[in-house]
Amino acid sequence: MGAVLHVAGLWKSYEAQEALRGVDLDVARGEVVALLGPNGAGKTTLVSIVAGLRKADSGLVEVDGIDALARSREVRRHIGIAPQETGIYPVVSVRQNLALFGELNGLGRRDVRRRVEEVAEALDITDLLNRQAGKLSGGQKRRVHTAIAFMHRPRLLLLDEATTGADVETRKHILELVQRLAEDGSAVLYSTHYLAEVSSLPATVAILDKGRVIARGKTQELVSAHATTAVDLTFHGEVPDLRHHGASRLGSHQVRLITPDPATALLDVLADLPSGSLSSIDIVRPDLEAVYLALTGRRYDEVDAAGVRKAQGDGADVAAR
């Protein structure tokens, strides 16, 4: 299956800050690619350039074989996008919001009516169709916002932190609809900071760090290739020198030991420690977080990954879809 989205050598800078540094990424028909990375890694910049909301400095972006950088208006009808910031018209009904964006993306009136009902049922907003959008709860607005991106059955769906601030039920409906759209043949680029969401999706994972894709593959493939159990030791006071055990300093009171056999390694280390010196022991099992740790040398912090975007570096234009 060929790539619906093909990105090669993509660069983008904001003054002295390099947001993207030669990004290469393909998303095939029927594939969900979960884009993981901390705040400032370039996730929203990448999504925005693919959607035609920002200009690249250099590189190639193709959607269905069309040059998306040179022919952004033509490509836009192939794309559905739900940015992180909720963007709906508050003074009209939910039905009118969905119909408007469906028509803007080329659906005829008959198709719009049918598709409004289908998408509303999938996201459990049928009872909200005739309500004024601005009077909905936050979770309801998030569902409507996401539903807009699904209206025209896009060849490429771009979701940028689509479940940020969403309640559990809304998150469940969005993830189910993402899987359904992929099963119907759409390519999905799903930017998220929630590791649990990635685990619940049949997704390929692409880790973006400091403007580069540093790893790509299925979760278990990445875990097998990169992750080893880590043991973090936190001390009450001064940290003893444990370099002969292969430990490395994490901070003023913490060290990390990378080992495939944490039980044996701990027994060896504990024999060298003064009684009562340890504050805590944390074993990091092989998972996506361990992969991130192995590749970047940093623990994955979901709070940091979800941090407020800097206006110049990682923001998207909500109004333009």
Side-chain angles (χ1 to χ4, degrees), residues 7-303:
V7 177
L10 194 64
W11 287 77
K12 176 64 178 179
S13 296
Y14 300 94
E15 297 179 353
Q17 178 186 355
E18 290 182 325
L20 300 178
R21 303 167 59 223
V23 168
D24 299 322
L25 184 67
D26 285 355
V27 185
R29 182 178 183 272
E31 182 181 29
V32 180
V33 172
L35 189 63
L36 280 176
N39 181 36
K43 301 190 300 295
T44 297
T45 294
L46 174 58
V47 170
S48 300
I49 290 174
V50 172
L53 306 179
R54 290 183 183 274
K55 293 184 178 180
D57 295 336
S58 62
L60 175 68
V61 177
E62 291 181 342
V63 176
D64 259 354
I66 303 171
D67 186 338
L69 301 182
R71 300 157 66 185
S72 59
R73 289 193 177 185
E74 180 181 347
V75 162
R76 200 163 292 172
R77 288 197 174 186
H78 296 259
I79 296 173
I81 179 171
Q84 181 179 359
E85 298 85 357
T86 303
I88 57 178
Y89 288 104
V91 296
V92 300
S93 71
V94 171
R95 186 186 303 276
Q96 288 169 316
N97 267 279
L98 297 180
L100 171 62
F101 284 103
E103 291 173 2
L104 287 174
N105 284 294
L107 294 182
R109 289 187 178 182
R110 183 178 299 178
D111 290 335
V112 164
R113 286 195 296 269
R114 183 179 69 251
R115 190 61 180 153
V116 164
E117 300 299 331
E118 291 174 351
V119 172
E121 182 179 358
L123 282 167
D124 195 23
I125 56 173
T126 301
D127 293 343
L128 306 177
L129 285 175
N130 295 319
R131 289 181 56 182
Q132 186 175 332
K135 295 182 178 180
L136 303 179
S137 69
Q140 290 168 340
K141 288 178 181 177
R142 174 62 63 178
R143 292 191 203 183
V144 174
H145 168 76
T146 305
I148 289 170
F150 290 86
M151 274 296 295
H152 58 300
R153 296 185 186 276
R155 293 278 291 156
L156 173 64
L157 178 65
L158 304 172
L159 299 177
D160 185 21
E161 310 284 7
T163 60
T164 296
D167 55 70
V168 174
E169 192 67 18
T170 295
R171 183 174 288 118
K172 173 177 176 288
H173 284 295
I174 291 174
L175 294 179
E176 287 176 349
L177 194 50
V178 166
Q179 292 185 54
R180 195 178 312 170
L181 197 69
E183 289 167 0
D184 289 342
S186 293
V188 182
L189 182 59
Y190 188 88
S191 167
T192 181
H193 61 272
Y194 293 121
L195 296 181
E197 286 188 354
V198 177
S199 300
S200 69
L201 286 169
T204 301
V205 179
I207 298 177
L208 189 67
D209 186 59
K210 297 180 180 178
R212 293 185 184 275
V213 175
I214 59 173
R216 187 186 191 283
K218 297 295 185 182
T219 298
Q220 194 52 52
E221 294 172 351
L222 294 177
V223 169
S224 298
H226 301 287
T228 305
T229 304
V231 180
D232 290 350
L233 305 175
T234 304
F235 294 85
H236 290 295
E238 185 178 349
V239 176
D241 187 353
L242 298 175
R243 286 177 292 179
H244 57 291
H245 287 285
S248 58
R249 290 287 292 265
L250 288 181
S252 57
H253 299 289
Q254 194 174 49
V255 300
R256 173 171 295 143
L257 184 65
I258 305 296
T259 173
D261 186 359
T264 300
L266 274 173
L267 285 174
D268 290 341
V269 170
L270 291 174
D272 286 349
L273 296 180
S275 177
S277 62
L278 267 179
S279 171
S280 66
I281 299 173
D282 183 21
I283 298 178
V284 183
R285 298 292 183 184
D287 55 13
L288 273 179
E289 184 174 359
V291 171
Y292 186 83
L293 169 62
L295 290 171
T296 68
R298 306 188 304 276
R299 301 239 1 212
Y300 191 84
D301 188 339
E302 289 188 346
V303 174

